[in-house]
């Protein structure tokens, strides 16, 4: 029994550590205990390990580990995708091979759509390429979003791709291309997520935990007749948790790793993609991408330091026109010429600037107002929760 207790604890510990490593650096969790644990796990602990390795092996282990991590997560390669698909396929084959005889047709039928769904959505994420902006000498892609003059401004050129960067785009160093409405680069699909394939990524995050929960349910259906958890202790008590742990151990003894083990793996790992899906649902509700949420987090910190000012594009354009020249500030803010008109449901006359000394731009003090919170600034790309969701579903 004791080794199986350790196996259960190990699975739960790995799931928790994975959650902390993946989600702790998100802007929403950066100043929470999860963010603190992420820094301990991914920054401070590796720093101490590197010092120890440097004194023992001269840093050889650290160098090889860094090269491996760089290759797996920071270079375009299919290794992580292959490992992910091998894990899903191996678990499904192992479970069905041993559990098929114990399951009725009624319980097996839902697997017909559920089992291939993660493979289909992974394929759609991996093979999508239309979100990559064309390189010269190809004609530029049509612009789909207006510049908000806060996160994105005209007159910005990608020095790598040598193209004008449309609003909401970002250059990906792994894909070596600029990505339209870039969310983030995902090593699990070996591709950038942006305009067009972001919806398939969300579908993958939904289909995977649904499959895992249903697999765990099938596993429980098989072993449940042999296990009973008597309510001898209060539900929220260590005694009840101990009884529950003993029940898991009995389940593994009865069903083996092929049934109970796979079911336990499914139920403990399903919350990870579900939590990531919940975070992306928040981003959709807020009208942001992951890339934009990080930019907003930087603006929020500068606002808290009193370094950010807001002004009116109309008033500032008139001011710069009266000066009779193209000032450096006007060019930096993207107010030195007529921008391409984009058909967008809402408009904003707001422009933001950050200064190093906490003072408004000199000679224009009366045209700028200091802002301290993000709530005082408009998000041009937020069309409301439902509107944002429709944009994502339609691949826009």
């Amino acid at each position: 029994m004791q080794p199986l207790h350790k196996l259960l604890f190990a699975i739960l510990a790995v799931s928790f550590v994975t959650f902390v490593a993946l989600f702790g650096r998100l802007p929403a969790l950066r100043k929470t205990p999860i963010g603190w644990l992420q820094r301990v796990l991914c920054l401070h602990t590796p720093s101490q390990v590197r010092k120890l390795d440097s004194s023992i092996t001269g840093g050889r282990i650290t160098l090889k580990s860094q090269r491996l991590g760089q290759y797996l997560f920071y270079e375009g390669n299919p290794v992580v995708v292959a490992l992910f698909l091998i894990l899903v396929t191996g678990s499904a084959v192992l479970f069905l091979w041993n559990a098929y005889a114990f399951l009725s047709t009624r319980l097996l039928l839902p697997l017909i759509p559920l089992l291939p769904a993660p493979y289909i959505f992974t394929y759609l994420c991996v093979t999508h390429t239309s979100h990559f902006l064309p390189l010269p000498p190809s004609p530029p892609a049509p612009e789909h979003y207006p510049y908000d003059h806060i996160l994105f401004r005209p007159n910005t050129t990608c020095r790598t791709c040598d193209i004008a960067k449309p609003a909401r785009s970002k250059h990906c160093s792994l894909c070596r291309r600029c990505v339209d409405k870039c969310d983030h680069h995902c090593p699990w699909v070996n591709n950038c997520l942006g305009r067009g394939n972001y919806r398939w990524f969300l579908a993958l995050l939904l289909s995977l935990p649904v499959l895992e929960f249903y697999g765990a349910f099938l596993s429980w259906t098989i072993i449940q007749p042999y296990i009973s958890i008597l309510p001898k202790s209060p539900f929220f008590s260590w005694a009840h948790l101990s009884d529950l742990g003993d029940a898991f151990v009995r389940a593994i003894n009865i069903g083996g790793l092929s049934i109970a083990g796979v079911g336990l793996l499914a139920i403990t790992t399903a919350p990870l993609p579900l939590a990531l899906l919940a975070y992306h649902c928040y981003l959709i509700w807020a009208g942001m991408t992951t890339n934009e949420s990080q930019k907003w987090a930087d603006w929020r910190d500068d606002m808290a330091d009193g370094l950010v000012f807001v002004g009116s594009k109309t008033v500032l354009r008139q001011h710069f026109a009266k000066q009779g020249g193209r000032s450096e500030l006007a060019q930096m803010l993207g107010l030195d010429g007529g921008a391409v008109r984009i058909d967008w449901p809402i408009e904003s006359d707001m422009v933001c600037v950050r200064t190093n000394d906490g003072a408004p731009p000199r000679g224009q003090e009366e045209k700028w107002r200091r802002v301290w919170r993000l709530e005082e600034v408009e998000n041009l790309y937020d069309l409301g929760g439902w509107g944002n969701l429709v944009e994502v579903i339609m691949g826009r």
Side-chain angles (χ1 to χ4, degrees):
M1 295 283 286
Q2 190 65 22
L4 293 177
H5 269 292
K6 293 181 179 179
L7 176 62
L8 173 62
F9 177 78
I11 294 176
L12 294 174
V14 169
S15 299
F16 177 74
V17 170
T18 304
F19 174 82
V20 170
L22 290 178
F23 300 106
R25 60 181 179 180
L26 296 177
L29 299 177
R30 193 176 296 167
K31 296 183 179 180
T32 67
I34 297 297
W36 179 84
L37 286 175
Q38 192 273 341
R39 290 189 291 275
V40 171
L41 178 66
C42 300
L43 295 178
H44 303 306
T45 300
S47 176
Q48 297 301 318
V49 171
R50 284 194 296 270
K51 292 180 181 179
L52 181 63
D53 176 48
S54 178
S55 62
I56 297 177
T57 69
R60 290 191 295 271
I61 296 178
T62 299
L63 180 61
K64 292 181 179 179
S65 300
Q66 289 176 341
R67 288 177 178 174
L68 177 62
Q70 177 74 22
Y71 175 73
L72 290 178
F73 296 102
Y74 298 100
E75 294 181 11
N77 66 81
V79 175
V80 177
V81 183
L83 292 175
F84 163 65
L85 295 177
I86 289 172
L87 178 61
V88 174
T89 304
S91 299
V93 170
L94 182 64
F95 177 81
L96 290 175
W97 183 268
N98 293 275
Y100 180 83
F102 301 99
L103 299 172
S104 64
T105 303
R106 178 177 61 86
L107 292 175
L108 289 171
L109 281 177
L111 289 176
I112 295 176
L114 292 180
L115 192 54
Y119 296 91
I120 294 172
F121 296 132
T122 299
Y123 173 80
L124 292 173
C125 286
V126 171
T127 59
H128 187 84
T129 58
S130 66
H131 59 328
F132 292 125
L133 298 175
L135 298 173
S138 301
E143 297 186 20
H144 302 106
Y145 311 99
Y147 292 98
D148 65 346
H149 294 269
I150 303 175
L151 305 183
F152 306 98
R153 293 183 174 126
N155 305 325
T156 304
T157 302
C158 176
R159 290 174 291 182
T160 303
C161 297
D162 193 26
I163 61 173
K165 295 182 66 175
R168 311 193 81 177
S169 67
K170 180 180 183 294
H171 181 84
C172 175
S173 59
L174 279 73
C175 296
R176 299 181 176 89
R177 296 286 293 277
C178 282
V179 181
D180 195 6
K181 197 186 178 184
C182 180
D183 190 89
H184 70 285
H185 183 94
C186 180
W188 301 104
V189 299
N190 191 33
N191 198 358
C192 267
L193 302 171
R195 182 182 172 91
N197 69 342
Y198 179 62
R199 53 179 171 174
W200 305 128
F201 174 69
L202 297 178
L204 173 62
L205 292 182
L206 177 62
S207 64
L208 188 59
V210 169
L211 175 62
E212 290 184 292
F213 281 130
Y214 190 70
F217 166 74
L218 294 181
S219 175
W220 176 251
T221 300
I222 295 173
I223 63 178
Q224 191 272 336
Y226 308 97
I227 297 177
S228 62
I229 303 177
L230 299 179
K232 297 178 180 179
S233 307
F235 184 83
F236 296 102
S237 66
W238 286 111
H240 182 79
L241 291 177
S242 179
D243 292 341
L244 192 61
D246 291 338
F248 275 120
V249 172
R250 290 195 298 272
I252 294 178
N253 284 332
I254 295 169
L257 291 178
S258 60
I259 296 178
V262 171
L264 181 61
L265 178 65
I267 197 66
T268 52
T269 56
L272 296 177
L274 205 58
L276 187 56
L277 177 62
Y279 175 70
H280 280 277
C281 287
Y282 158 73
L283 292 178
I284 294 172
W285 171 79
M288 299 186 293
T289 64
T290 300
N291 174 49
E292 290 164 8
S293 72
Q294 295 169 348
K295 289 177 178 290
W296 281 120
D298 293 337
W299 277 101
R300 180 190 61 212
D301 294 340
D302 288 338
M303 288 178 186
D305 294 334
L307 303 177
V308 178
F309 298 83
V310 64
S312 165
K313 288 186 287 187
T314 302
V315 172
L316 289 169
R317 281 196 177 104
Q318 294 173 352
H319 171 76
F320 293 132
K322 290 179 180 179
Q323 288 184 334
R326 293 160 57 94
S327 72
E328 182 178 346
L329 179 61
Q331 187 174 7
M332 183 195 74
L333 297 176
L335 301 177
D336 59 335
V340 177
R341 178 71 179 180
I342 303 295
D343 185 19
W344 191 247
I346 59 178
E347 295 184 359
S348 173
D349 191 48
M350 184 174 290
V351 59
C352 283
V353 65
R354 57 164 64 94
T355 61
N356 295 326
D357 57 1
R362 289 177 176 83
Q364 308 165 19
E365 287 81 0
E366 74 283 357
K367 295 176 174 58
W368 295 95
R369 174 175 59 87
R370 193 191 308 271
V371 290
W372 297 95
R373 299 178 303 157
L374 284 178
E375 291 77 9
E376 301 178 60
V377 177
E378 299 171 358
N379 180 5
L380 181 62
Y381 308 118
D382 183 9
L383 305 179
W386 177 252
N388 298 334
L389 179 61
V390 170
E391 288 287 303
V392 170
I393 293 176
M394 298 303 294
R396 299 197 290 260

